[in-house]
Every structure is written in C-alpha cells, then in structure tokens.
Amino acid sequence: MRLQARLLGPLEVSVDGMPVRLTGRPSGLFAVLAMSAGSVVSAERLATAVWGDDLPGNPRASVQTNMTRLRQLIGAQFVETTAVGYLLRVPPEQVDALRFLELIDLAAAAPDPGTESRTLTDALALWRGDPFEGMRSVWLAEAETPRLVERYLDATERRIDLDLAAGRYDGLVSELRDLIVRHPLRESLWARLLGTLDAAGRRAEALEQYETIRRRLSEELGTDPGPQLREIHVKLLGAAPSTAPAAAPAPQVIVPRQLPMDHAGFVGRDKALAAMDSRLGDATSPTVITLIGGAAGVGKTALAIRWAHRVAPWFPDGQLHANLRGFDPSGTPRTPQEVLRGFLTALQANGQQVPHGLDAQVGLYRSLLSTRRMLIVLDNARDAEQVRPLLPSSPGSHVVVTSRDDLTGLIVAEGARPLPLDVLTPQEGWQLLEQRLGAQRVHSDPSATDEVIERCARLPLALSVMAARAARRPDTPMRALALELANTRSELDAFALNDPMTDVRAVFSWSYRTLTDAAARLFRLLSVHPGPEVSVAAAAAAGGLPIPHTRRLLSELHTTHMITESAGDRFAFHDLLRAYSAEQAQQIDTEQQRHEALLRVLDHYLQTANAASVALDPYRVPIPIGRPRDGVTVEPIGDHREAVRWFTTERPALVAAIPRAVDARADDFAWRIAWAVSGFLDMAGYWDERAAAIHATLHISPQDTDWPWQAIGHRSLGHAYVRMGRFADAHRHLSQALELFRRRGDQVGQARTHLNIGIVLDRQREHAQGLTHSLAALSLYRAEGHLAGQADALNAVGWDHAQLGDFEQALTYCRQSLDVHLQLDHRHGQADVWDSLGYIQRSLGRYEDAYASYRQAIDIFRDLGDRFDEATTLVNLADSQVAAGDPATARRTYLDALAIFDELRHPDAAIVQSKLAALRH
C-alpha cells in the first residue's frame, strides 16, 4: 500500500490513491510524523509539537489516544510504535515537503544552469498554499513553517536569477509583484523586481518602485534600504563618476568576525534554535540578551555557536566572541577589563585611545557600538557582574550568554531571556552517533546503540567522547562499546581524557568547587536517592535538614546547574552527574553517613506512602511503621486525589527504593514500601512493577511476627499475575498464600485469597469453581464480622451467579453488596458493584439501566485513577451498546478503551481491536 502526504498547502492524505480525511489533533500528529518520515519521534516531542505549552494533563495518554485514531484512519501498518516513540512508515519522497527540500538540494548540485532551473521549477510546483494550512501544531507553525517558507523564497529568488541570466523576462514582474504582496518587507524580492524592470527597459518604473520600498521601510521600520537596494538605485540613476580631486584613501575598515568554528557534530536542538530565531529583532529593536543555561557538558557553547553562524548575516557590522572562563580548569575567570581590551582592539580602537579605568572602557566600547548592529557571544560566564560591562547599550544588537549559573541578576535587571538547555533526546543521541560513526554502524544493533546513548546520559560531551573513541576503532561493534561502558569500574572512567576541557569528571569539578560546603554536602548525599527526580521533602530527608534550609541549598545547586528543576518543586541530575555525586560522597562522607542518609530517604517514602495508601483504601490492612526518624519530613496526604497525585509523581522513586533497600539490607523498609505502593500500582495498571516489587521482598521474614508478609506477598503477587494474564503463576502463588494463612489461622487473609482465586477462575471461565471460592470468602468474612470484606464477597457471589445465568440471585447479592459499600463509603467497591449490575441489566435486556450503571462505575474508576478497571468497564459499556443496536456509539467507546489498554500495554487491547474489526463487517 502506498501512503502519500501533501503538506505544502491544505493537508491532503491518500492511501493507494484514495483520499483520507484527517482533522483535529490526529492531523497535527500526522504532519509532525510526516516531517520526520523514517525517523522515530518521541511521545514527549509529539505532545510538545501539537499542544505547545498548553499540554493536556496526561500528554502521553493524549498522544496514544490520538495515535489510535490516526491508525484507524490511515491504516495501522503505516504507524509503528517503538520503545522510544512513533515512526511513520512512508518514504520521504512521498511527503511533498520533504521532496521539496530534496529537490532544492539536488538543484544546488546541478551540473548546469538549465538543469538547476528545471529542478527548482519542479520543487516550487509542489507548493499549493501555506505549509500545514489548517493544522493544529505549535511546532509546525513556529518552527517548520518559517523554515519551509524561507527555503521556498530562496529557491524562488534563485530560479528568478537564472531566468534573468538566460534572458527569460516573461511573467517575472507579475510573479515578483505577487510575492511582494505576501512578503512586503523582503528587500531581496524588491531588488529583483527593480532589476527585472530595468532589464525590461522600464527604468522609470523601477525608480518609482525604489521610492515605494524606501518610504515603506522608513514608515514601518524606521530604517533605510539595505546595501543591495542602494547599489541598484545608484545604477538606476546612472550616476557618473565624480570629477572632484581624489581624496586620500580611507583607512581600511575591518569588520570583526570572531566566531569560533562551528561544531561539526552539532545535532538537533530545533526547538531551542527556533526560540532563538524568534527573538531576532531589527536595527531599531532594543538589545536582546539570550541566556543559555544548563549543566556542564550539555552543549551550551555548541548551540550558541551554531545559532551565531546561522544568523551572522543579520549583523552586518560584525560578531564578537569571548570565552569568559567562568568555569575553567584554571579556576580564574577572565576580568571584564581583559575582555573589553580585546573587543576594543577588534573594533579598531587605537591602543592609545583605550582608557585605563573600567567605566571609561565601557563608555568607549558602547560608543563604538552605538551605530553598529553587532552579535556578541559571551561564553562560559561565571556571574552577572562579569557580563554587565560587556553589554551594548544601543539598539539593534544581540547578545548570547552561556553559563552554568542561572545569572538571575541579568534576568531581573537587564531583562535577559533565559533558554534552559537539557540533555539530548534519544532521537538526537541517535543523530549524533549517526553523524560521527555512520548510519550503517549505528543501526547494526539498535538496542546496543540505545544502551550507549543512555549510559552516556544523553549528555553531548559524553556522547562525543564515546563517538571519538569508537571512530578510532571502526571494527568494534556497537554491542562491544555498550559492554565496555557497562563494565567500567566507575561510570565516569569511560569518559576520562588527558584534555581537561573534555574530561567529563574534570568539567564537573569546575562547578562543584564553586559550591558552599552545605550545598556540596547535600549534592553528595542526594546520590543515595533511588529515583530519577527528588522532591524537596525527599531531599530534606537525604540531608536530615529542615525544609526551608533545604530549599535554599537546592536553589544554589540549581543556580549552578548541578541539578535541574522540573515542574512542581522537583529536582534531578542526569546519570553522569549522579555518578560524580556518588564518587564525591564515597571520597568525603563516611559509609555510616551515607547509610543514614539512605535510611532517612526510605523512611520518608514509607511514611508518606503508607498515608497515601490509607487515603486510597481506608479498609486496607494497616501495617506497623512506627514514628518518622529524626530529620524526616512526611508529606501531608489529604484525600484520595492527593494520594493518586503523590503516587503518580513518586512512582519511579518508590519502585526503585525497594531493591535499593534490599541491597542495603534495610529489609523492614523494603517489604513495607512494597506493601504500601502495591495498591496504587495495581489500580494504575503497573502490574509488572507491582510483581517485581513484591517478588524482590518475598524472601523477607519481618521481625514483627504478627505481620504475615510472605503470605500477603504471595497473595499480592498472585493477584498481579491475574492482571497480567499469567494464570498458572497466579494459581501457584495464591495456593501458597492460602496455605500460609491457614497455618496462621488468619481467616481474613484466607477470605481475601479465596476472592483472588475466584478472580483467576472467572478469567478462565470456570464460574462454578469461582462461586465456591466466593462463597467460602463470604463465610469467612461473616465469621470475622469484617463488613468491607463481606461487601466484596457479596459482589463476587453475585457476579458468579450472573455468569452462570442466575440473574435474579445475582441482583440480590449485588444489591446487598452495594448497600454495604455505600454504608462504608467505599467508592472502589461501589464501582465494582455498579459494573456487575451493568452486566446483569444488559443480560436482562435493560439497556438504559445498564448504561447508567456502567457510567456510574466508569466515573468512579476514572476519579480514583484506576485505569485498567476504567478500560474494562468501557468495553462492557460498548458491548451493551452493540447489543442495543448502536454500533456507532460503541465504536467510540471501544476506541476510548483501546487507548487505555495501549497505554497500559495490556494484551486485552487485541480483544478490543477484534471487536472493532467485527463492527466493520
């Protein structure tokens, strides 16, 4: 099948010649994927490209939902899901925008003007209007559209030049007038119009047009025509050579061009480059200061230099550059006076004219810049005081500053516009390695390449070091390189070089030694934190510090880019900085100090997770946890919404904390955290993580012999395996749990395990056996007077009767269950019963009642954040809609369920797809 995408105008998509109509968000996603045809685009980049700063609450889920709709519209075979994102399976030549760019490049390499002109004509013929017309994508509008339009105008101007050189004037004046209507201030178009009119013998008209553009530039921009137009104007006037005596030759004016060589290995950073482009002003604009901030080795200098070379033509009076050495092996930043002397020399100030005092030098510097439009790049600044004397005061210039410090003073006082820079995306990491090592080598083992990129923490400096070493060993496969990184004694040893400017460990040290002692200590102890991000409260626990003091130290670490701050008071450092933090901790802090810091962090997570688990399910068996340790702050959890929000945010750290506690022989923390987080992981669909967490702790026998962790662990693991469809494993662990509970005489534990066994049997369609276990659970719960358990068991008995066709009995048991759940205000239990009632009502042909019951359940599951049960109930609702003869509504409901199953990577997605396929026949 052949997919064709036309983006240069209103969106047109066809499959095997048949048009496909795309609208709304799917059209934006399609266009972004099409512009990256053949390359993987991450879900994060897709979300940012389509929604911009107005991201939905769950960007990844929203992308998945819309991607499901896109697959339905164009065909699932064209959209491939990978570990890091999505890929549109379409050759670039079948995307008109990419074909246009390809033809432009072919034209530039054409062997003769005739071939070049024909190739450009073919490229321009692909345009039907404005790119991406009517599509909803911030990235397309702000980044891709201006780029394509600029290439279009360049190509058009080049084709016109070729026509003029060949004497082909027909239609050029009309074409140029039409272009000028759309781009009225583009001087290069006006220059060609004047030249075409003159070549056609219409000089008087050309002079009139020059006056038109001169007035327009003066009125709208307050500026005069540029050199190209002025030169044509002189030619049109036919000015004769002057007969005045020759003046003494003027001194040669040297325009400073101090930019360093562009970085050949630069890749990606499209969003950052577009943001910098958007800040370009004109000759009358106030000076713009762009402040590129980020951690060591993240590529700040490379970005600044790449952008400076791109926009150098905008600054005809030259470019100045200085390395301020704010963070440098020498440890001595350059003084403003030292830098100013170099700048003044570049501006041709006579050595004798340069005054001695700093204020006087600044005055002369700014005077020399007052009539010039300059680009000034100040690299590696230490602080705002080092930068301020180097700023021009007149309009028209642009300053780019890079620093590991936030330079907040420049933002506040001088209006600098920050541009924070993070590590590369996985896709950009691939691009860097492809550029350095060749696509064939990098693609020979994709999983090994992924591992190399991640072990380099996607840090450009580390990836460049690794690529340089690999380039010297062209026969070494990517898998061997990945193994070398994995087996290196210290993560930083793999990037050690003799050059201190590129040795990753040395580069980090320049920032570390600027920290205060307290901030340096917190930086080291944060290495014990198990997760990718740390909250203020968790950081406070690591340091054993009060929250206000911790905030001040985190601010210092963030200001120097030793850590990064994300939304919601959360901080992180990439893996190599974490490795450097751990190295420093091992060298400076004792083993006991590091262990105590870890125990405080684990206690913070245990205390808060326990409170959150109780908020999620007040009837869950409580665990003994004791009082918080000294120096530990417990985050307040008000209700189930706050609990879901906290668990969602902290899930990666909680999951990582369990094996970390096991490794540290902190068993009491390991099993307690596993139990506290288990309920949320089940509800949110993270069953593999739930299973791994419990499995890692099954060997633990708690010191508190009243707490049967191994029995509960086997039961929880069995339940996780039910969710994952591993029924044999589920039976094995549930049988072990039941036996352990029997030995203890724990009737409540036995009852809950019987219910879990009933769930397995239900999934295996063994409903009669399932009923036996549900009745056993009900009997045990009644014997213990356990109301919440009785309510669950009543619903299970009712469900089993419904599956066996006894709907009257089923209604009786389920209504009894609902009454008890309402009495206890147990919302999840209520949702379970509403789902059962919906099935019973559908089976009895009472479709409206079934719809109402299912929607009650869906609303509660959604409110609780229970994604799997929400999806399952959506499928049940859609089944009812099919049975009632409403396939159109059922299709929409199935798609909503499919989006959730896809997000959870659950095998039930295949069942929903088969139901959707059945609707099409």
Side-chain angles (χ1 to χ4, degrees):
M1 299 181 74
R2 177 184 174 88
L3 175 67
Q4 195 82 24
R6 303 181 72 192
L7 309 175
L8 299 176
L11 177 63
E12 292 183 5
V13 180
S14 63
V15 176
D16 285 347
M18 298 298 293
V20 177
R21 185 169 180 266
L22 297 182
T23 58
R25 300 297 186 193
S27 70
L29 288 173
F30 176 83
V32 175
L33 286 173
M35 288 302 295
S36 303
S39 299
V40 177
V41 184
S42 68
E44 292 76 12
R45 181 183 167 197
L46 284 168
T48 302
V50 174
W51 282 276
D53 293 331
D54 189 25
L55 287 172
N58 189 336
R60 181 176 289 273
S62 297
V63 168
Q64 288 169 335
T65 299
N66 284 282
M67 202 63 72
T68 298
R69 292 172 181 161
L70 179 60
R71 284 194 179 101
Q72 294 287 328
L73 292 165
I74 68 172
Q77 69 271 30
F78 292 117
V79 182
E80 179 181 336
T81 302
T82 73
V84 295
Y86 299 91
L87 171 72
L88 187 67
R89 285 290 182 191
V90 59
E93 62 269 17
Q94 289 169 216
V95 180
D96 61 353
L98 301 183
R99 177 60 177 162
F100 165 74
L101 296 172
E102 181 185 27
L103 287 171
I104 295 299
D105 293 338
L106 289 173
D112 57 78
T115 303
E116 182 182 4
S117 179
R118 289 190 296 274
T119 306
L120 288 171
T121 300
D122 291 344
L124 296 169
L126 295 170
W127 285 65
R128 300 170 292 109
D130 294 331
F132 317 113
E133 191 174 314
M135 279 174 259
R136 300 168 67 182
S137 166
V138 176
W139 177 70
L140 293 175
E142 295 181 357
E144 285 298 295
T145 297
R147 180 172 74 96
L148 286 169
V149 169
E150 186 64 29
R151 295 296 299 274
Y152 170 80
L153 291 171
D154 288 344
T156 302
E157 290 172 348
R158 176 59 183 161
R159 199 222 71 225
I160 290 171
D161 291 343
L162 292 169
D163 286 348
L164 287 171
R168 295 189 294 267
Y169 305 141
D170 291 348
L172 289 186
V173 171
S174 297
E175 180 182 3
L176 283 163
R177 288 188 192 279
D178 289 342
L179 288 166
I180 285 171
V181 168
R182 300 201 300 272
H183 308 281
L185 297 177
R186 188 176 176 92
E187 293 190 34
S188 53
L189 290 174
W190 284 94
R192 284 166 176 81
L193 175 61
L194 301 184
T196 303
L197 289 169
D198 186 35
R202 299 158 64 177
R203 178 167 291 194
E205 190 176 345
L207 286 167
E208 290 178 5
Q209 292 299 319
Y210 176 82
E211 187 60 25
T212 298
I213 182 56
R214 187 196 65 76
R215 284 198 307 269
R216 180 170 288 178
L217 290 170
S218 176
E219 292 169 1
E220 296 188 24
L221 301 180
T223 189
D224 294 325
Q228 187 181 16
L229 279 175
R230 292 199 302 269
E231 182 179 339
I232 293 176
H233 185 229
V234 170
K235 178 184 175 185
L236 292 173
L237 291 173
S242 172
T243 58
Q252 182 183 10
V253 176
I254 301 174
V255 176
R257 308 286 188 193
Q258 294 187 337
L259 294 178
M261 182 176 66
D262 195 5
H263 290 245
F266 185 90
V267 296
R269 304 300 195 192
D270 293 339
K271 189 174 180 180
L273 289 167
M276 296 176 76
D277 286 345
S278 70
R279 299 172 185 180
L280 277 172
D282 54 38
T284 63
S285 302
T287 294
V288 177
I289 307 169
T290 293
L291 174 56
I292 303 175
V298 83
K300 302 179 293 296
T301 298
L303 173 64
I305 299 305
R306 168 54 58 94
W307 184 79
H309 278 283
R310 273 181 32 156
V311 301
W314 285 65
F315 301 95
D317 298 315
Q319 303 88 41
L320 298 173
H321 171 271
N323 180 359
L324 303 185
R325 298 178 188 161
F327 300 85
D328 190 76
S330 68
T332 306
R334 295 178 70 185
T335 65
Q337 292 97 318
E338 180 186 352
V339 178
L340 276 171
R341 278 200 165 271
F343 282 175
L344 290 171
T345 300
L347 295 169
Q348 294 183 282
N350 187 299
Q352 295 179 348
Q353 293 177 327
V354 177
H356 293 293
L358 175 61
D359 290 343
Q361 289 177 0
V362 171
L364 176 60
Y365 169 67
R366 289 176 176 166
S367 297
L368 291 172
L369 293 182
S370 63
T371 58
R372 308 188 195 204
R373 191 172 183 199
M374 303 284 293
L375 175 62
I376 302 159
V377 179
L378 304 175
D379 190 25
N380 196 9
R382 179 64 168 267
D383 52 39
E385 293 306 312
Q386 189 187 26
V387 172
R388 282 195 177 99
L390 308 176
L391 301 176
S393 59
S394 51
S397 293
H398 196 115
V399 181
V400 178
V401 183
T402 74
S403 181
R404 300 185 198 181
D405 191 280
D406 274 353
L407 303 186
T408 307
L410 278 186
I411 299 171
V412 173
E414 279 74 26
R417 300 173 68 177
L419 182 67
L421 202 61
D422 204 348
V423 295
L424 298 175
T425 63
Q427 184 180 10
E428 289 170 335
W430 272 80
Q431 291 171 1
L432 188 151
L433 292 180
E434 286 173 0
Q435 188 178 84
R436 301 289 185 90
L437 304 178
Q440 182 176 357
R441 185 177 182 187
V442 171
H443 286 269
S444 63
D445 189 340
S447 64
T449 300
D450 284 335
E451 185 175 347
V452 167
I453 291 169
E454 291 307 316
R455 288 194 178 278
C456 291
R458 290 184 271 129
L459 189 70
L461 175 60
L463 279 166
S464 297
V465 170
M466 191 65 205
R469 288 183 170 170
R472 293 196 298 269
R473 299 153 58 196
D475 296 329
T476 303
M478 294 301 296
R479 175 59 56 190
L481 296 173
L483 287 172
E484 284 181 19
L485 287 174
N487 295 330
T488 305
R489 180 181 57 83
S490 167
E491 291 182 58
L492 298 179
D493 286 347
F495 311 103
L497 297 173
N498 293 327
D499 181 2
M501 298 301 294
T502 53
D503 183 291
V504 173
R505 184 183 282 110
V507 169
F508 290 162
S509 72
W510 311 336
S511 295
Y512 176 75
R513 65 190 182 207
T514 68
L515 300 173
T516 62
D517 289 345
R521 173 182 176 272
L522 182 59
F523 173 74
R524 297 192 305 269
L525 293 182
L526 284 176
S527 65
V528 308
H529 184 270
E533 290 186 339
V534 60
S535 66
V536 176
L545 301 168
I547 292 289
H549 189 196
T550 303
R551 283 189 185 279
R552 289 193 294 273
L553 297 180
L554 288 171
S555 178
E556 181 181 344
L557 292 173
H558 175 254
T559 296
T560 54
H561 291 285
M562 297 300 282
I563 58 174
T564 58
E565 182 177 10
S566 56
D569 256 3
R570 300 186 66 74
F571 299 85
F573 39 29
H574 60 66
D575 289 346
L576 295 182
L577 265 174
R578 180 189 290 274
Y580 181 73
S581 166
E583 278 191 1
Q584 295 302 306
Q586 287 188 344
Q587 291 173 15
I588 297 171
D589 303 298
T590 67
E591 182 178 353
Q592 182 178 352
Q593 288 170 331
R594 299 195 302 273
H595 187 67
E596 285 295 326
L598 174 61
L599 294 183
R600 288 192 298 267
V601 170
L602 294 174
D603 196 33
H604 159 76
Y605 281 120
L606 171 60
Q607 299 283 344
T608 311
N610 184 60
S613 70
V614 171
L616 281 184
D617 185 357
Y619 297 99
R620 201 161 184 250
V621 180
I623 57 174
I625 60 172
R627 295 175 54 81
R629 302 167 76 90
D630 290 341
V632 171
T633 299
V634 182
E635 297 189 57
I637 304 293
D639 55 24
H640 82 273
R641 287 187 179 84
E642 287 187 15
V644 170
R645 191 158 45 243
W646 185 83
F647 270 129
T648 301
T649 302
E650 297 292 357
R651 176 184 62 82
L654 288 163
V655 170
I658 295 162
R660 185 68 179 275
V662 171
D663 290 343
R665 298 183 180 179
D667 289 351
D668 283 346
F669 283 111
W671 72 263
R672 285 181 169 95
I673 294 174
W675 173 244
V677 74
S678 174
F680 168 77
L681 293 177
D682 174 58
M683 183 185 73
Y686 297 106
W687 305 306
D688 52 347
E689 292 183 3
R690 182 190 183 199
I694 297 167
H695 194 275
T697 61
L698 274 181
H699 68 283
I700 297 173
S701 297
Q703 295 178 1
D704 183 350
T705 55
D706 291 334
W707 185 255
W709 169 243
Q710 291 182 340
I712 293 174
H714 279 292
R715 187 187 70 206
S716 298
L717 189 55
H719 186 252
Y721 284 145
V722 176
R723 297 289 209 187
M724 298 163 72
R726 294 170 55 176
F727 301 135
D729 290 330
H731 276 302
R732 179 164 53 85
H733 285 283
L734 290 171
S735 296
Q736 291 181 64
L738 191 60
E739 179 59 27
L740 289 169
F741 281 125
R742 280 176 178 154
R743 290 178 191 172
R744 293 180 55 87
D746 185 338
Q747 296 199 94
V748 171
Q750 293 175 59
R752 176 56 60 185
T753 308
H754 277 298
L755 286 182
N756 289 153
I757 294 172
I759 294 171
V760 188
L761 293 168
D762 175 64
R763 294 294 300 272
Q764 294 179 305
R765 301 187 180 280
E766 299 287 347
H767 302 300
Q769 290 185 52
L771 177 59
T772 301
H773 284 278
S774 298
L775 289 168
L778 180 59
S779 175
L780 289 165
Y781 277 133
R782 280 175 171 165
E784 290 291 317
H786 194 291
L787 275 181
Q790 290 177 49
D792 289 338
L794 285 166
N795 182 49
V797 172
W799 174 260
D800 290 329
H801 277 299
Q803 297 303 310
L804 294 168
D806 190 348
F807 298 114
E808 291 305 320
Q809 276 278 60
L811 278 174
T812 299
Y813 278 106
C814 288
R815 284 170 177 162
Q816 290 177 27
S817 173
L818 183 60
D819 288 342
V820 180
H821 279 307
L822 288 169
Q823 174 189 337
L824 297 174
D825 194 27
H826 189 200
R827 300 187 68 229
H828 198 286
Q830 295 167 29
D832 288 335
V833 180
W834 283 119
D835 179 65
S836 299
L837 288 170
Y839 175 80
I840 297 166
Q841 291 156 346
R842 182 188 81 193
S843 301
L844 293 171
R846 293 158 48 183
Y847 295 116
E848 291 300 325
D849 290 341
Y851 294 166
S853 294
Y854 281 135
R855 288 186 178 117
Q856 286 268 28
I858 290 166
D859 287 345
I860 296 174
F861 285 138
R862 186 174 293 154
D863 190 44
L864 294 174
D866 189 335
R867 303 286 283 156
F868 175 74
D869 283 331
E870 178 189 349
T872 300
T873 310
L874 281 167
V875 173
N876 295 338
L877 173 59
D879 289 345
S880 300
Q881 292 162 341
V882 171
D886 188 1
T889 303
R891 183 176 183 277
R892 291 193 294 272
T893 308
Y894 280 136
L895 285 172
D896 289 340
L898 180 60
I900 298 174
F901 282 134
D902 279 345
E903 179 186 348
L904 298 176
R905 299 179 184 272
H906 195 275
D908 281 3
I911 297 173
V912 179
Q913 287 171 337
S914 67
K915 290 175 183 285
L916 282 165
L919 287 180
R920 291 195 290 269
H921 297 297

